[in-house]
């Protein structure tokens, strides 16, 4: 899987469909996905088919639950969630996945593997390639991947982050109003995605942890300073999503004993910010705000700004991390970084 994703990057593909999954999170797989996302690819994954499994119902499956992966549950002909389709907060946009006509390779026993009902195929165990009415999120995900490629061809200036959110927020709502764990934001819609205004691009993604921005995890160079030397102030607009983009981390160049004022404002929802010292290795999802690596923290809710002033003990970068609390969903925010006289 890792080799396949890296090959897609090397060959300059645009969209990667991942109709597979496992019950364990793989760090090499996550890093390959982050690497591909940073290089501009859009990654789509099947949500999984175990919701009704009596032994292991609705399990956590990967890569579907990784950030920056567009996760696709399956719906039926009536726009209802398929009974087998996993239902998770990470679900993004649905597509048909029940009774889909598919071309089947020779000798592949879809009936025996549970992807097709008896009598659904041109032969139960086809000796030659044939056709089956197949069901599964593995057949819904390629529809979203294909829709993404179509939209990107028509709107080539979109970044992968913009296309990711465009597919989610332009989906045709089904069931109850708004997001649902069963169907995500709704069923994918090419016409609506072609017509909808794209959100502003999120800078420097993926940037969920310090290792992703200082170059140690992806094996490349560090991201540019969001506030470089010689510049006193920077305003930044970005967004968060608890499942797809839970944390943003930025590098700030600081002189020895320099002071930095961080102001965070949530346009909607709730966000919080923390400043980590130069030697910090991970933000640790803000598990302990009293941790020695944290120089200061602030929070903001529904338009009310939060502010903190910190002092860097040594020359070098500090890391400003912005996160969203569980249950808030996420939202857009404005970050102001200002160096103060020592």
């Amino acid at each position: 899987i890792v080799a396949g994703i890296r090959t897609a990057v090397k060959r300059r593909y645009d969209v990667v469909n991942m109709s597979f999954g496992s019950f364990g999170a793989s760090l090499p797989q996550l890093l390959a996905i982050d690497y591909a996302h940073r290089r501009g690819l859009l990654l789509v994954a099947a949500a999984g088919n175990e919701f009704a499994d009596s032994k292991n119902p609705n399990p956590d499956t990967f890569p579907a639950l990784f950030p920056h992966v567009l996760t696709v549950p399956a719906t039926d002909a009536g726009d209802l969630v398929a009974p087998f389709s996993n239902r998770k907060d990470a679900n993004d946009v649905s597509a048909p996945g029940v009774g889909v006509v598919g071309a089947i390779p020779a000798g592949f026993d879809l009936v025996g593997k549970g992807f097709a009902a008896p009598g659904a195929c041109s032969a139960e165990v086809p000796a030659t390639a044939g056709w089956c009415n197949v069901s599964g999120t593995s057949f819904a995900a390629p529809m979203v991947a294909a829709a993404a490629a179509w939209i990107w061809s028509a709107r080539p200036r979109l970044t992968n982050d913009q296309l990711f959110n465009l597919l989610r927020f332009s989906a045709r709502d089904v069931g109850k109003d708004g997001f649902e764990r069963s169907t995500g934001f709704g069923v994918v819609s090419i016409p609506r995605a072609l017509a909808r205004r794209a959100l502003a691009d999120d800078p420097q993604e993926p940037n969920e942890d310090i290792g992703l921005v200082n170059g140690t995890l992806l094996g490349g160079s560090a991201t540019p300073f969001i506030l470089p030397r010689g510049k006193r102030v920077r305003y930044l607009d970005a967004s968060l999503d608890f499942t797809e983009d839970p944390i943003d981390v930025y590098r700030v160049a600081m002189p020895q004993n320099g002071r930095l004022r961080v102001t965070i404002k949530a346009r909607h929802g709730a966000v919080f910010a923390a400043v980590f010292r130069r030697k910090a290795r991970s933000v640790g999802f803000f598990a302990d705000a009293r941790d020695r690596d944290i120089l200061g923290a602030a929070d903001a809710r529904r338009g009310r700004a939060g502010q903190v002033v910190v002092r860097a003990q040594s020359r070098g970068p500090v890391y400003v991390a912005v996160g969203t609390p569980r249950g808030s969903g996420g939202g857009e925010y404005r970050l102001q970084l200002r160096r103060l006289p020592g």
Side-chain angles (χ1 to χ4, degrees), residues 175-193:
K176 297 178 181 178
D177 290 342
F179 175 85
E180 293 183 74
R181 300 177 81 239
S182 56
T183 55
F185 289 90
V187 176
V188 65
S189 171
I190 292 175
R192 291 165 63 101

Side-chain angles (χ1 to χ4, degrees), residues 81-321:
V81 62
F84 52 78
S85 184
N86 288 345
R87 300 164 198 196
K88 296 288 183 180
D89 289 336
N91 283 346
D92 293 302
V93 59
S94 305
V98 177
V100 178
V101 177
I104 308 305
F108 197 80
D109 183 10
L110 280 180
V111 175
K113 294 179 181 294
F115 288 107
C121 301
S122 54
E124 293 300 328
V125 184
T128 59
W131 300 90
C132 282
N133 291 323
V134 291
S135 298
T137 58
S138 286
F139 308 108
M143 294 193 189
V144 173
W150 184 337
I151 295 159
W152 224 345
S153 296
R155 303 180 67 176
R157 293 187 178 182
L158 294 174
T159 67
N160 57 342
D161 258 323
Q162 288 177 308
L163 180 59
F164 190 104
N165 285 318
L166 187 65
L167 285 160
R168 299 167 83 211
F169 301 145
S170 67
R172 178 170 54 84
D173 200 8
V174 294
K176 297 178 181 178
D177 290 342
F179 175 85
E180 293 183 74
R181 300 177 81 239
S182 56
T183 55
F185 289 90
V187 176
V188 65
S189 171
I190 292 175
R192 291 165 63 101
L194 290 173
R196 186 181 177 94
R197 182 180 64 86
L199 296 178
D201 188 31
D202 237 18
Q204 299 188 347
E205 294 289 353
N207 59 346
E208 279 72 50
D209 208 349
I210 290 172
L212 292 173
V213 300
N214 67 11
T216 58
L217 278 180
L218 295 185
S221 58
T223 58
F225 288 117
I226 206 73
L227 183 62
R229 298 180 182 90
K231 190 170 183 177
R232 289 188 57 193
V233 64
R234 172 73 187 268
Y235 294 89
L236 178 70
D237 291 314
S239 61
L240 294 169
D241 183 283
F242 188 78
T243 58
E244 301 298 355
D245 183 19
I247 295 175
D248 289 336
V249 179
Y250 305 103
R251 297 170 68 239
V252 176
M254 291 295 293
Q256 187 169 2
N257 291 322
R259 292 196 304 152
L260 177 70
R261 184 171 68 200
V262 177
T263 305
I264 183 76
K265 183 176 182 179
R267 296 190 182 278
H268 58 81
V271 294
F272 49 91
V275 184
F276 288 76
R277 66 176 184 154
R278 177 176 62 85
K279 293 184 179 181
R281 295 184 177 182
S282 173
V283 300
F285 287 89
F286 304 90
D288 185 358
R290 296 168 297 178
D291 189 280
R292 64 177 183 173
D293 285 335
I294 296 179
L295 301 176
D299 61 64
R301 295 176 183 271
R302 295 182 181 177
R304 188 181 64 194
Q307 190 174 100
V308 62
V309 176
V310 300
R311 183 183 293 275
Q313 298 296 321
S314 58
R315 182 177 182 273
V318 296
Y319 301 96
V320 177

